[in-house]
Amino acid sequence: MLKDGEILKKVDKCPWMISNKGRIKSLKTNAEKIQYMGTSGYYFVSYNSKTYLTHRLVAQYFIDPIPKGMVVNHKDGNKTNNHVDNLEIVTYKENTRHAFDHGLMVPLCGEENSMSKLTNSQARNLINDIIKGLANGELAIKYNLHDRYISLVRHKKRWKKLWSEFGSINAEMSNGNDRNKSLSPQQFVQVVKKIKNGVSNASIEREFNLSSGTGSRIRHKKIYFNWWKDYFGESI
């Protein structure tokens, strides 16, 4: 017996009728077919050793043929609700975004992500070093990473969750040549000696090929905090 507003359509190559409400009727027995739930949580039925997902059948016969590379999304996030009004044909990207937005899929963070370049402990150490004022080039060598990756961490494009553990602390944002040019310890000592001898920031920046403003940041201890302490016994 049909339910209110229910419509049936014949399924090609199978002795079934598919309902816009997600039910499947057997043409052989005239009874509703039993649907099984797969390990992924979707209902399915089988015929001649082939598996048919119910939500895809409903979409195919009551929305549109499903283009190659497209998937059928459950709008309410409930994989068992195969009513046509709850289904939409979308791209894989749209389907994944929907899953994240509705809490159906949680992105792996930190070292749990197989693509992570650092462990959580290493990332904390890196963030600490960034806060202390170490330059990108120096950190790239220390952690065996590309300096562009260090820049992403510095600007909180990576390891954002771990950054939150450090409160509202902001890293010194390097720019210009600083992304590619950092001072060695020996150069830092030379720079500070020049600062103490009254050499101007502009002269120091030209001599050491530093971007504009770097001399001032070193002079006022906005960067290289740890070296100020290690080599000159001075802290901020």
Side-chain angles (χ1 to χ4, degrees), residues 7-19 24-28 47 57 60-62:
I7 302 171
L8 293 174
K9 291 186 178 181
K10 173 69 173 65
V11 178
D12 295 336
K13 301 179 181 180
C14 297
W16 308 329
M17 298 288 284
I18 182 70
S19 159
I24 300 175
K25 179 182 177 182
S26 171
L27 292 175
K28 292 182 178 180
Y47 181 71
L57 286 176
Q60 178 180 342
Y61 286 93
F62 291 96

Side-chain angles (χ1 to χ4, degrees), residues 37-42 53 79:
M37 182 178 290
T39 55
S40 58
Y42 296 105
L53 293 169
K79 296 178 181 180

Side-chain angles (χ1 to χ4, degrees), residues 120-135:
N120 288 349
S121 178
Q122 289 171 329
R124 286 188 181 93
N125 291 336
L126 170 58
I127 292 171
N128 262 317
D129 284 342
I130 289 173
I131 293 171
K132 289 177 182 177
L134 274 69

Side-chain angles (χ1 to χ4, degrees), residues 172 178 191 195 199-205 210-225 228:
E172 172 70 18
D178 292 341
V191 167
I195 289 174
V199 179
S200 70
N201 294 338
S203 296
I204 291 171
E205 289 162 0
L210 299 173
S211 59
S212 177
T214 303
S216 176
R217 294 203 296 276
I218 296 174
R219 183 184 298 272
H220 294 94
K221 302 175 184 175
K222 299 296 184 182
I223 55 177
Y224 296 106
F225 309 134
W228 269 104

